[in-house]
């Protein structure tokens, strides 16, 4: 038995030790990890490595890959998937679930408000210019009816576990969140890798996601269209999330369309089929706002359909998520979400935010500039781990570069203290080691809001790294949410 | 009902896998010939190269290199590698339409072909490599047959397979029996069996005609046999059936152009007089067959894929 039991990496001084998902500080493991820990103790590193290979093979065969375009050759790679599941006890999940539902309900109400009466802006709860000047704000959406105020039909929020063990929201994702196919594929794979442990653990099922997604999308269709035609709109096979688009379309039984398959006539949307044109009612679009309609948004886009937005305005088709939802996951608006929840729901936020400094405020800017080496600074409009400075891991030169950018355009930046993401055991080169992880659950909202009891756990595979994005060396692993009665301290 | 683009992709998957399989067989026969007498090998290699449309017959002097290029050359759009890559790319674009079982088979072939070690694997055992690829292509078709719905999409896929097959066998027969050949007629026993192998027809032929290798029997078998799945006549029967299924699904029965073309082509092959064909030489007839296959392809596009929108807008 030579599995190494490493101490979690503690390279960053002056920051609290990260929470360990499996191990207790006093020794031993959390009760909900006991079964997995016992199973791991019976496996040799060779057996573990063999299982890891089997899993990678599964991903490769399924074509769960992303394409890397190189100078000489184009290769397809799998997104690294770690075989050790991350486990969340039932009671803890209930709280997360309640918090996510509350948050999305409030954000949908916020979107409905800013795209109609703008009461919240008049009451001064959120600064008017912050919302109206956000690049993701779409004035085209003003006064447009959205059923159930369900603007963000699919939301993927990024949660992290703070050193004290509490989950907090790091980021909301209300545009076209991706990753759900990895959640499902990881589950398919991990059931094979640890079948016995899986069976006895009481893991809640996530396989209804496609079915719930379809129901959510159908609930958005107009009442007078009794059997609505739902389609998935993809930018095409060269998009890095193409696998996911095809996967969801296949599991929902909905056609996977590209912009060129759609035709607008008389403000109605049709798809070109072998039997002629067929009316489309709901479009689950995986194309960004900017690209869905060259007539309304970016004119150089060839991914969308000319006239789509007018058909939407006319109420003849539903676009899901609604255009303009990005304003609610704007990194500056994020800071106001607890207020937004209080304003609409008269409740305290169940899931806390990470403390956030808005560089647009001069006092906060100077505090950030004075402590650049301690903060994570993010550009408001960027995503995917780009345009970001991780203070404690940065060089003096990078800090100076960011300081200049901050002074030049302070409103474009926010800063947050460097959070030690929690760590979970991962299989690294045949050894079990701790790596930082986050958590992306998926929330669906249509007629009602549902949270799938599972999530994508993203892993920063590089030792000590806090960046979990797949574009920057991140991987993923399955997330086991246990049923209420399981995995509680006895 | 399915997306026109999807139907198009499924059709091309069918064409590309059929092309890959046929070229595997040509490569295999070429390699097999290198083991025997070299003069016959050159002739066989020349036939194979001409059948894939390679004008550079000098390559026939070195059948091994020719076979390797035909298999693995990534620059050559006619190579087996390219056909597999195209088939898989099309499959990726309609990944939601084909079952996981079917996809896995095709993806597996692609992964082996695109592996950096593919050239070494080919060098170590060329015929094994080709044999495995053909076997996996059969598994792909079998998996599709066993797991996919035999509806419109399946018919488009098989339409691609049979149209491609009819054209490939047609081109092969043109090379072997047409007037265009400048060399001496193919009469050698070894060359004739090689031709049958290229059409995967040796064993079925033997059951019908015994080991009596006669050019006119071979022509008759590969062109007009009613039951052999690689004869042109059999292909045209399948083309007609699948087109009928597609037009039925589309509610266009009797109205679509390709059905009429396919019916006429099938009738041509069903009712042709063999004596007459041999008397006047098969060249003109094969040309008609190939032209009509191309016409079916065009009319298929006009009817189901690239139809003018104006004609289909709701009133």
């Amino acid at each position: 038995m030579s599995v190494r039991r490493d101490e979690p990496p503690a390279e960053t001084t002056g920051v609290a030790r990260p929470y360990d998902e499996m191990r207790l500080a006093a020794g031993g493991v959390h009760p909900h990890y006991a079964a997995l820990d016992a199973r791991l103790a019976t496996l040799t590193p060779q057996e573990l490595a063999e299982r890891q290979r089997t899993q990678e093979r599964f991903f490769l065969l399924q074509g769960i890959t992303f394409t890397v375009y190189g100078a000489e050759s184009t290769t397809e790679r799998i997104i690294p998937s770690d075989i050790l599941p991350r486990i969340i006890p039932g009671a803890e999940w209930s709280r997360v679930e309640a918090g996510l539902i509350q948050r999305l309900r409030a954000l949908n109400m916020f979107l409905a408000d800013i795209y109609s009466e703008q009461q919240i802006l008049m009451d001064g709860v959120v600064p008017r210019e912050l919302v109206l000047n956000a690049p993701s704000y779409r004035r085209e959406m003003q006064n447009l009816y959205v059923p159930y105020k369900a603007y963000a039909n699919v939301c993927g929020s990024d949660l992290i576990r703070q050193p004290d063990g509490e989950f907090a929201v790091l980021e909301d994702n209300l545009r076209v969140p991706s990753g759900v196919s990895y959640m499902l594929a990881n589950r398919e794979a991990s059931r094979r890798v640890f079948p016995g442990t899986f069976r006895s653990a009481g893991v809640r099922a996530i396989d209804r996601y496609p079915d719930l997604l379809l129901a959510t999308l159908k609930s958005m269709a107009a009442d007078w269209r009794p059997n609505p035609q739902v389609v998935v709109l993809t930018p095409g096979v060269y998009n890095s999330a193409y696998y996911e688009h095809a996967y969801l379309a296949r599991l929902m039984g909905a056609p996977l369309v590209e912009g060129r398959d759609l035709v607008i006539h008389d403000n109605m949307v049709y798809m070109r089929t072998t039997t002629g044109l067929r009316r489309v009612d709901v479009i689950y679009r995986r194309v960004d706002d900017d690209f869905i309609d060259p007539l309304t948004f970016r004119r150089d886009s060839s991914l969308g359909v000319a006239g789509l937005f007018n058909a939407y305005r006319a109420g003849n088709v539903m676009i899901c998520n609604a255009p303009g939802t990005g304003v609610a996951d704007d990194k500056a608006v994020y800071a106001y979400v607890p207020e937004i929840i209080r304003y609409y729901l008269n409740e305290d936020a169940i899931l806390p935010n990470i403390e956030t400094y808005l560089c647009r405020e001069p006092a906060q800017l100077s505090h950030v500039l004075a402590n650049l080496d301690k903060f994570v600074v993010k550009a408001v409009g960027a995503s995917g781990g780009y345009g970001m400075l991780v203070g404690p891991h940065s060089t003096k030169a990078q800090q100076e570069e960011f300081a200049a950018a901050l002074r030049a355009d302070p409103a474009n930046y926010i800063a947050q203290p460097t959070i030690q993401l929690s760590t979970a055991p991962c299989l690294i080169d045949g050894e079990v080691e701790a790596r930082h992880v986050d958590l992306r659950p998926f929330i669906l909202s249509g007629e009602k809001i549902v949270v799938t009891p599972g999530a994508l756990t993203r892993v920063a595979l590089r030792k000590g790294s806090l960046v979990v994005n797949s574009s920057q060396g991140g991987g993923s692993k399955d997330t086991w949410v246990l049923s209420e009665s399981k995995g509680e301290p006895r | 009902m399915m997306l026109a683009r999807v139907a198009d992709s499924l059709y091309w998957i069918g064409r590309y896998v059929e092309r890959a399989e046929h070229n595997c067989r040509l490569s295999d026969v070429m390699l097999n010939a290198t083991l025997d007498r070299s003069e016959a090998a050159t002739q066989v290699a020349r036939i194979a190269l001409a059948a894939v449309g390679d004008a550079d017959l000098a390559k026939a002097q070195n059948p091994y290199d020719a076979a390797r290029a035909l298999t693995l050359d990534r620059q050559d759009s006619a190579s087996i590698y390219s056909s597999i890559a195209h088939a898989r790319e099309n499959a990726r674009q309609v990944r939601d339409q084909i079952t996981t079982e079917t996809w896995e088979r095709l993806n597996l072939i692609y992964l082996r072909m695109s592996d950096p070690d593919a050239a070494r694997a080919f060098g170590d055992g060329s015929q094994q490599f080709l044999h495995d690829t053909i076997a996996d292509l059969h598994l792909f078709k079998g998996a599709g047959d066993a797991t996919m719905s035999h509806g419109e999409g399946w018919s488009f896929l098989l339409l691609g397979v049979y149209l491609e097959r009819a054209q490939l066998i047609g081109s092969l027969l043109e090379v072997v029996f047409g007037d265009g050949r400048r060399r001496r007629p193919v009469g050698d026993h070894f060359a004739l069996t090689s031709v049958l192998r290229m059409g995967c027809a040796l064993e079925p032929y033997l059951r019908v005609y015994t080991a009596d290798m006669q050019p006119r029997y071979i022509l008759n078998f590969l062109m007009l046999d009613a039951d052999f799945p690689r004869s042109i006549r059999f292909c045209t029967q399948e083309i007609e059936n699948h087109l009928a299924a597609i037009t039925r699904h589309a509610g266009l029965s009797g109205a679509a152009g390709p059905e009429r073309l396919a019916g006429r082509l099938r009738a041509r092959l069903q009712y042709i007089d063999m004596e007459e064909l041999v008397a006047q030489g098969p060249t003109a007839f094969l040309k008609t067959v190939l032209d009509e296959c191309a016409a079916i392809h065009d009319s298929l596009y006009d009817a189901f894929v690239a139809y003018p929108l104006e004609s289909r807008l709701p009133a």
Side-chain angles (χ1 to χ4, degrees), chain B residues 139-282:
Chain B
L139 285 177
F140 164 77
K141 287 179 186 159
D145 185 61
T147 63
M148 279 174 66
S149 270
H150 285 209
E152 198 181 3
W154 179 245
S155 282
F156 269 104
L157 197 149
L158 284 192
L159 202 52
V161 167
Y162 285 109
L163 256 177
E164 182 72 19
R165 189 180 290 173
Q167 289 178 302
L168 291 169
I169 298 292
S171 311
L172 178 66
L173 294 178
E174 231 182 2
V175 169
V176 179
F177 300 106
D179 304 334
R181 66 180 196 283
R182 281 150 289 170
R183 306 278 170 158
R184 60 190 168 78
V186 182
D188 176 83
H189 183 270
F190 177 77
L192 287 174
T193 48
S194 292
V195 168
L196 282 169
R197 280 183 208 277
M198 290 180 199
C200 195
L202 184 58
E203 291 172 27
Y205 173 90
L206 294 176
R207 293 180 61 83
V208 178
Y209 292 101
T210 70
D212 184 12
M213 292 291 152
Q214 297 289 339
R216 57 169 293 173
Y217 290 164
I218 291 175
L219 181 65
N220 195 7
F221 189 67
L222 284 177
M223 193 145 75
L224 303 179
D225 192 87
D227 302 320
F228 176 59
R230 283 167 202 285
S231 80
I232 300 179
R233 174 171 165 194
F234 187 93
C235 293
T236 59
Q237 286 162 202
E238 292 298 308
I239 292 167
E240 191 184 20
N241 290 341
H242 289 294
L243 265 174
I246 289 165
T247 42
R248 200 170 54 240
H249 281 293
L252 292 172
S253 289
E259 235 188 330
R260 187 184 62 80
L261 293 173
R264 187 175 65 183
L265 180 59
R266 192 262 309 143
R268 263 190 216 294
L269 283 142
Q270 191 173 350
Y271 299 119
I272 188 165
D273 186 334
M274 190 60 198
E275 302 305 321
E276 207 177 311
L277 179 70
V278 172
Q280 64 189 218

Side-chain angles (χ1 to χ4, degrees), chain B residues 29-56:
Chain B
V29 175
M30 266 199 268
L31 288 169
N32 194 40
T34 58
L35 304 173
D36 284 284
R37 298 163 303 164
S38 71
E39 195 192 332
T42 317
Q43 190 181 22
V44 169
R46 203 180 296 125
I47 290 171
L49 284 169
V52 295
D54 195 326
D56 185 9

